[in-house]
Amino acid sequence: MIAILKHGTTPEQTQHLVKWLEHLNIGVHISEGEEVTVLGLIGDTSRIDMDLLSSLDIVETVKRVSEPFKQVNRKFHPLDTVIEIGDAKIGGGHFAMIAGPCSVESEEQIIGVAMAVKQAGANILRGGAFKPRTSPYAFQGMKDEGIKLLLKAKEATGLPIVTEIMNISTLDLFADVDVIQVGARNMQNFDLLKELGKTNKPILLKRGLANTLQELLMSAEYILSEGNENVILCERGIRTFETVTRNTLDLSAVPALHELSHLPVVVDPSHATGKAKLVPSMAFAATAAGADGIMVEVHNNPACALCDGAQSLTPEQFAALHRKVMQIREVIL
Amino acid sequence: MIAILKHGTTPEQTQHLVKWLEHLNIGVHISEGEEVTVLGLIGDTSRIDMDLLSSLDIVETVKRVSEPFKQVNRKFHPLDTVIEIGDAKIGGGHFAMIAGPCSVESEEQIIGVAMAVKQAGANILRGGAFKPRTSPYAFQGMKDEGIKLLLKAKEATGLPIVTEIMNISTLDLFADVDVIQVGARNMQNFDLLKELGKTNKPILLKRGLANTLQELLMSAEYILSEGNENVILCERGIRTFETVTRNTLDLSAVPALHELSHLPVVVDPSHATGKAKLVPSMAFAATAAGADGIMVEVHNNPACALCDGAQSLTPEQFAALHRKVMQIREVIL
Amino acid sequence: MIAILKHGTTPEQTQHLVKWLEHLNIGVHISEGEEVTVLGLIGDTSRIDMDLLSSLDIVETVKRVSEPFKQVNRKFHPLDTVIEIGDAKIGGGHFAMIAGPCSVESEEQIIGVAMAVKQAGANILRGGAFKPRTSPYAFQGMKDEGIKLLLKAKEATGLPIVTEIMNISTLDLFADVDVIQVGARNMQNFDLLKELGKTNKPILLKRGLANTLQELLMSAEYILSEGNENVILCERGIRTFETVTRNTLDLSAVPALHELSHLPVVVDPSHATGKAKLVPSMAFAATAAGADGIMVEVHNNPACALCDGAQSLTPEQFAALHRKVMQIREVIL
Amino acid sequence: MIAILKHGTTPEQTQHLVKWLEHLNIGVHISEGEEVTVLGLIGDTSRIDMDLLSSLDIVETVKRVSEPFKQVNRKFHPLDTVIEIGDAKIGGGHFAMIAGPCSVESEEQIIGVAMAVKQAGANILRGGAFKPRTSPYAFQGMKDEGIKLLLKAKEATGLPIVTEIMNISTLDLFADVDVIQVGARNMQNFDLLKELGKTNKPILLKRGLANTLQELLMSAEYILSEGNENVILCERGIRTFETVTRNTLDLSAVPALHELSHLPVVVDPSHATGKAKLVPSMAFAATAAGADGIMVEVHNNPACALCDGAQSLTPEQFAALHRKVMQIREVIL
């Protein structure tokens, strides 16, 4: 870590700061330039509060020379992480096609969709059992019953399943779930991340609505630091001023995360855009950007043609999407 | 709730949608205008997924006519809520001056600051025991030991205390804590909110970094809907593109929340700005905007003059701030 | 336009508003529902100030039923606009590959880059002569001299050229320029847009850093409303909280704009990301999202290998990018 | 300026960069630390493209040690600038109360409002003659006729006037205008700023919707660098995700700008919030934050009680606001 002191800092002030840092067991290497004095901080700088340091009157700026994330860092782990999920693999050249309904609604529904998406090319089934909802009065999912139905769909199709956890006290219910999802609103629920780090389940970690890529990687670091190396990062749109789409899908996140980290990156165009019409284009774009997988909402309700306008695709639309995604994969590999 | 259908929607499409809504036990009143057809939806519309409805091809727009929050809504509870915290009161003309260090560090520190801020005019003591940190390697607070020290400071000064909870499994530790704080990152940790709703402790609910005022009120609704009416809302800055301040303090939130809800609103200028120099101005502004309380970081470290530049004030600075805040209160009341 | 009145509005208040609207030559169709009263406003509603109307005490919400943009609207012009630029075409299945240096620096440089990008597949040359710069002390471009050099490069290679205008008083200098660019900071310089609308030059209109797609289309409407139908929309990244990239490239804008408008849409991944390493992935993604063209910075400075890290690609990198872009085009068409 | 090189940069790479900088007439002072190499850049660094430099592969980070703004910088001009506008003064302890209608609509209207706001305590009259509008079909103001009416109101009341310029070609019309306003959308219309810098008129420079404070100061620097030192900065809300208010008023901008610059700072709560109900609270808050003036919309339409809900206050509401603003001024001075 580097601290640049302001022009005009007195030697006494500099010494005062150096002593304070040494008191924190930080070695300090002083480099006096013509314009500024630069302090090189050596030792376990991860415990230094950068905000505090940079807000000191005599400090011009503070900069970490090394990223604050270690285990997720590609520098220390150059090869892509490959995560095995049942018969599927993700990362390091392996691509996951995750599809399924927003919420599990009934046995008939989830098995129907599962069979349809499997036939259309999906290799992992998604479906919400615990649903985080802005309103306490909104449907909160079928909960444990929903997980049981997902497991039936897994049995019926052989597809591994991914579903969201909201509360560590429900962990036992996820014993046969293949991938545990952490939703955007829980990306910085650090106690939940630590507990999931003690399992060996693959974790699908969604980026928070207003979180930077560095914060996403730090949250992944929480999981790895407890011993679980099976983390899949997920870009699902960030909150901006634009209103045509529900969120703004940040596809630069895909190559940027690949440069910073060895973990696989999937993209969820359904939640990001909130509009089925935009989902195929964004799935193609995510694939072209180098994503290791796509996560798409698919419904299976032939009686309700109205739903075609919503963020879910029909199985037919998903099958068409799948074919082009695979062709784009071939171009960019 | 109102759904406006697009120009050109066929009667069959309209009937299709009406049947689907009636299937959800929603009554529909159709009003055909020259340009558009408007559906008035009657019944328990809180269960309707607005995102899905508004994304249908034939739907131009969907609008709730009544706010989705009920118990926190001023319409149904016109009088200000007044919350009693030890000898202090907040809301309905009562003002809270909450002060203390960012983190509890030692018995000497927390009792020293508590005595100093009490003398300077604070009527509630703040201090972090469980610290949510972006990095797993950063100091995470003194935890249960920190709470014990806060209780000692409470005993020594008589000041009621407020401190943050991160995990419902630690609730027992908060038995003698006067106000439980929910941090910005947990504002949409709905399971935590529900559990806190089952207690009768005052809850200080901080706005999330990228959450709208409506979402803040919906999170408060989670607490009230479980039976706990003692919620204090807290504006602490939102995430924007500006970098001079750590976050952007949204002071319009104060009168806007007061119009929408009967709950008291406090403002935290220390975390919002991240700079001690800006804290007094923002504390004055928050008071002038009508806040029911101010929450300020105060340190007590005469040995470390360096810290003056950070987001914490000295007790002397806080005392000066307190005097002017009280004068501004008199002007605006 | 639809105005929904609040529950509890009195007949007198309603009549008061209706009279005010009729005074503005707006016809009003009143539809009284059980929960709300809906006013259908008929006539030239484009002159109504929606902000004022929606801020009235008795008004719940105001909604345009028709989009405020007319001439750029796909509803009234279903076929894609195709714009001819020298031998190149853009839109309606025609793809433009626009490449060149950030700034024109010398005759040798611009002709060198022009020849290199032509050989690598570009069909339009870009280069900045007038440079909008945050600082008055920064290099502001070679100005009229820069335009002359661009014209020499055009002569040498046959490539049509695109370059930015900052001030309508310099329009004469652009007589032989093929496409006039309006930069992000001038997207709402309405007087400039109107003047460009009086020419028949193709205009490349860049989205402002914090402008919505609707605002972009309204700015295009300014140009078309004066008679110039040759507008190319350009997504170049929006301002968000993320710092890894200079801006956040909003690729959902591509299919969303195509749905709303018949105008061609190009994407500039160089300015959006600010990092050469991310440019190819984002160029592929933009192509997969359906963009009608890509605009990429290419430098030609063999002496300065250092520059490889900046946002400009070498001609070799651009040639490789071009090949894959063309392959992705084939997949998605 | 400081450039910190990445760990692992070779001496050849460093020399390559140093030569390139020296080629730009920048002196380089190399300081080799244990972890990093720091280059101190000496000379006219304002011409260095920081984005380019920081995007080089071997560069960890680039930091200006001195702010890029000079003439607006408080460091080089410690005393507050005081600007005289007719009988009014602003800055350095002088407070301006600017009030008037959004748009000039008729002689009767503007003279009526001018007399009302003068009596209520305003010392400067505002009113829009040229109106920047998102839509080409919306009312664009009375233009030169509007300016004439403003001048009549000035004559009738003695109040100096402020009104917006959109296009430098109309400058002659502003000969008797006291303060020329540059709107948010033109904050980075650099050619307009330069031309206004050649006049000696006070310029009210509004912050752009998505512009940082540093960018606002750089735009002010454009005006001062051409010789005009009479610039008043104006905070008027920034674009965020929140929808309850039209924009988010960033009041931390007031003390932050005062720390960085000697120029006066006024606040416009009317445009920021878009709601009359919130204007008084935000005017009080702005005053408490230390603003040098408040700019408020006031209408004078006794026939149209409906308008009370919009962003404009009645003269009576403005008079009440004025009294409390003055009392808050007394507290904080």
Side-chain angles (χ1 to χ4, degrees), chain C residues 285-296:
Chain C
T287 307
D292 300 294
I294 301 289
M295 186 161 170
V296 178

Side-chain angles (χ1 to χ4, degrees), chain B residues 1-2 4-5 7 29 31-36 38 40-42 60-61 63-66 239-241, chain C residues 1-2 4-5 7 29 31-36 38 40-42 60-61 63-66 239-241:
Chain B
M1 192 184 279
I2 293 285
I4 301 176
L5 303 190
H7 191 67
H29 174 268
S31 158
E32 308 237 12
E34 278 188 39
E35 279 194 88
V36 293
V38 177
L41 311 189
I42 300 152
E60 178 67 41
T61 193
K63 182 78 188 173
R64 284 192 189 282
V65 177
S66 52
R239 191 163 265 189
T240 70
F241 57 83
Chain C
M1 193 184 279
I2 292 287
I4 301 175
L5 303 189
H7 191 67
H29 174 268
S31 158
E32 308 238 13
E34 279 189 35
E35 279 194 86
V36 293
V38 177
L41 312 187
I42 300 153
E60 178 68 39
T61 194
K63 182 80 190 172
R64 284 193 190 280
V65 176
S66 51
R239 192 163 262 190
T240 70
F241 57 84

Side-chain angles (χ1 to χ4, degrees), chain B residues 141-311:
Chain B
M142 293 185 73
K143 302 186 179 173
D144 47 349
E145 191 58 32
I147 292 188
K148 283 181 200 157
L149 296 181
L150 278 168
L151 292 173
K152 284 194 182 176
K154 175 183 177 177
E155 206 178 281
T157 59
L159 287 178
I161 58 176
V162 54
T163 195
E164 179 166 352
I165 195 169
M166 284 179 62
N167 188 330
I168 199 64
S169 72
T170 63
L171 184 60
D172 287 351
L173 298 171
F174 291 74
D176 296 320
V177 167
D178 299 278
V179 181
I180 300 178
Q181 176 176 317
V182 176
R185 287 172 187 77
N186 274 320
M187 193 202 90
Q188 292 195 316
N189 183 339
F190 301 120
D191 281 10
L192 177 62
L193 299 176
K194 279 188 213 169
E195 292 301 318
L196 293 172
K198 293 172 186 160
T199 73
N200 59 0
K201 291 272 183 201
I203 308 298
L204 183 90
L205 180 63
K206 288 196 150 189
R207 182 182 185 183
L209 267 81
N211 286 110
T212 62
L213 298 181
Q214 179 165 310
E215 287 168 343
L216 173 60
L217 291 171
M218 291 308 293
S219 285
E221 185 83 13
Y222 260 99
I223 300 172
L224 272 78
S225 71
E226 296 288 337
N228 183 354
E229 298 185 351
N230 299 304
V231 176
I232 302 159
L233 305 171
C234 181
E235 163 62 33
R236 43 79 71 216
I238 57 174
R239 191 163 265 189
T240 70
F241 57 83
E242 180 57 63
T243 55
V244 165
T245 44
R246 186 155 58 192
N247 294 117
T248 297
L249 189 63
D250 176 12
L251 285 178
S252 336
V254 177
L257 287 171
H258 277 155
E259 197 184 333
L260 294 167
S261 175
H262 51 86
L263 296 174
V265 181
V266 306
V267 172
D268 174 350
S270 299
H271 282 85
T273 62
K275 293 189 173 174
K277 275 187 188 167
L278 303 180
V279 167
S281 295
M282 288 302 99
F284 304 155
T287 306
D292 300 293
I294 300 290
M295 187 159 169
V296 178
E297 279 194 16
V298 179
H299 75 90
N300 183 21
N301 191 348
C304 178
L306 283 167
C307 301
D308 287 357
Q311 78 189 20

Side-chain angles (χ1 to χ4, degrees), chain A residues 84-98:
Chain A
E84 301 199 18
I85 302 160
D87 292 341
K89 288 182 183 176
I90 180 163
H94 302 278
F95 193 80
M97 205 75 190
I98 309 169

Side-chain angles (χ1 to χ4, degrees), chain D:
Chain D
M1 193 184 280
I2 293 287
I4 301 175
L5 304 189
K6 282 186 185 159
H7 191 67
T9 300
T10 64
E12 290 72 33
Q13 288 175 306
T14 304
Q15 276 315 308
H16 205 141
L17 177 57
V18 168
K19 271 184 199 156
W20 181 65
L21 289 163
E22 288 173 349
H23 177 73
L24 296 171
N25 284 320
I26 302 296
V28 183
H29 173 267
I30 304 179
S31 159
E32 308 238 13
E34 279 190 37
E35 279 194 87
V36 293
T37 298
V38 178
L39 306 185
L41 311 188
I42 299 153
D44 180 9
T45 57
S46 64
R47 296 198 62 164
I48 297 180
D49 184 336
M50 277 185 69
D51 279 338
L52 188 142
L53 192 56
S54 63
S55 66
L56 298 183
D57 267 356
I58 62 170
V59 174
E60 177 67 39
T61 194
V62 178
K63 181 80 191 171
R64 284 194 188 281
V65 177
S66 52
E67 285 96 358
F69 42 91
K70 307 291 174 199
Q71 296 196 50
V72 306
N73 198 328
R74 188 177 283 278
K75 278 186 194 158
F76 310 125
H77 187 318
L79 291 184
D80 288 344
T81 286
V82 179
I83 296 176
E84 300 199 19
I85 303 160
D87 292 341
K89 288 183 183 175
I90 181 163
H94 302 278
F95 193 81
M97 205 74 190
I98 309 168
C102 184
S103 299
V104 179
E105 290 168 22
S106 70
E107 182 170 340
E108 188 194 352
Q109 174 240 17
I110 189 64
I111 293 185
V113 177
M115 293 175 68
V117 299
K118 186 183 184 184
Q119 195 179 335
N123 53 2
I124 301 178
L125 176 67
R126 57 147 291 155
F130 291 93
K131 302 294 298 176
R133 302 301 302 267
T134 304
S135 166
Y137 310 120
F139 175 57
Q140 314 252 332
M142 291 184 73
K143 302 184 179 175
D144 48 349
E145 190 57 32
I147 292 186
K148 284 180 200 159
L149 297 181
L150 278 167
L151 292 172
K152 285 194 182 177
K154 175 182 176 178
E155 204 177 281
T157 59
L159 288 178
I161 58 175
V162 54
T163 194
E164 180 166 351
I165 195 169
M166 285 178 62
N167 189 330
I168 200 64
S169 70
T170 63
L171 184 60
D172 288 349
L173 297 171
F174 291 75
D176 296 320
V177 167
D178 300 277
V179 182
I180 300 179
Q181 176 176 316
V182 176
R185 287 171 188 76
N186 274 320
M187 193 201 90
Q188 293 195 316
N189 183 339
F190 301 119
D191 281 9
L192 177 61
L193 300 177
K194 279 187 212 168
E195 292 301 318
L196 293 173
K198 292 171 188 160
T199 75
N200 60 1
K201 290 272 182 200
I203 308 296
L204 182 90
L205 179 63
K206 288 196 151 191
R207 180 182 185 183
L209 267 82
N211 286 110
T212 63
L213 297 181
Q214 179 165 310
E215 288 168 343
L216 172 60
L217 290 170
M218 291 308 292
S219 286
E221 186 82 12
Y222 261 98
I223 300 171
L224 272 80
S225 71
E226 296 289 338
N228 184 353
E229 300 186 350
N230 299 305
V231 176
I232 303 161
L233 306 171
C234 181
E235 161 64 31
R236 45 78 71 217
I238 56 174
R239 192 163 263 190
T240 70
F241 58 83
E242 179 58 63
T243 56
V244 165
T245 44
R246 187 155 56 193
N247 294 118
T248 296
L249 189 64
D250 176 13
L251 285 178
S252 336
V254 177
L257 286 171
H258 276 155
E259 197 184 332
L260 294 167
S261 176
H262 50 86
L263 296 174
V265 181
V266 305
V267 173
D268 175 349
S270 298
H271 282 86
T273 63
K275 293 189 174 173
K277 275 187 188 168
L278 302 180
V279 167
S281 296
M282 288 302 97
F284 304 155
T287 307
D292 300 294
I294 301 289
M295 186 161 172
V296 178
E297 279 194 15
V298 179
H299 74 90
N300 183 22
N301 191 347
C304 180
L306 282 167
C307 302
D308 288 357
Q311 78 190 18
S312 293
L313 302 180
T314 63
E316 293 71 34
Q317 290 170 327
F318 173 68
L321 178 156
H322 177 258
R323 282 190 296 274
K324 282 204 178 174
V325 161
M326 289 301 125
Q327 289 176 281
I328 292 172
R329 281 288 290 169
E330 273 176 44
V331 172
I332 63 150
L333 282 185

Side-chain angles (χ1 to χ4, degrees), chain A residues 171-228:
Chain A
L171 185 59
D172 287 351
L173 297 171
F174 291 74
D176 296 321
V177 167
D178 300 277
V179 181
I180 300 179
Q181 177 177 315
V182 176
R185 287 173 186 76
N186 274 319
M187 193 203 90
Q188 292 194 316
N189 183 340
F190 301 119
D191 280 10
L192 177 62
L193 299 177
K194 279 188 213 168
E195 292 301 318
L196 293 173
K198 293 172 187 161
T199 73
N200 60 0
K201 291 272 182 200
I203 308 297
L204 183 90
L205 179 64
K206 288 196 151 189
R207 182 182 184 182
L209 267 81
N211 287 109
T212 62
L213 296 182
Q214 179 166 310
E215 287 169 343
L216 173 61
L217 290 171
M218 291 309 292
S219 286
E221 186 83 12
Y222 261 97
I223 300 171
L224 272 79
S225 71
E226 296 287 338
N228 184 354

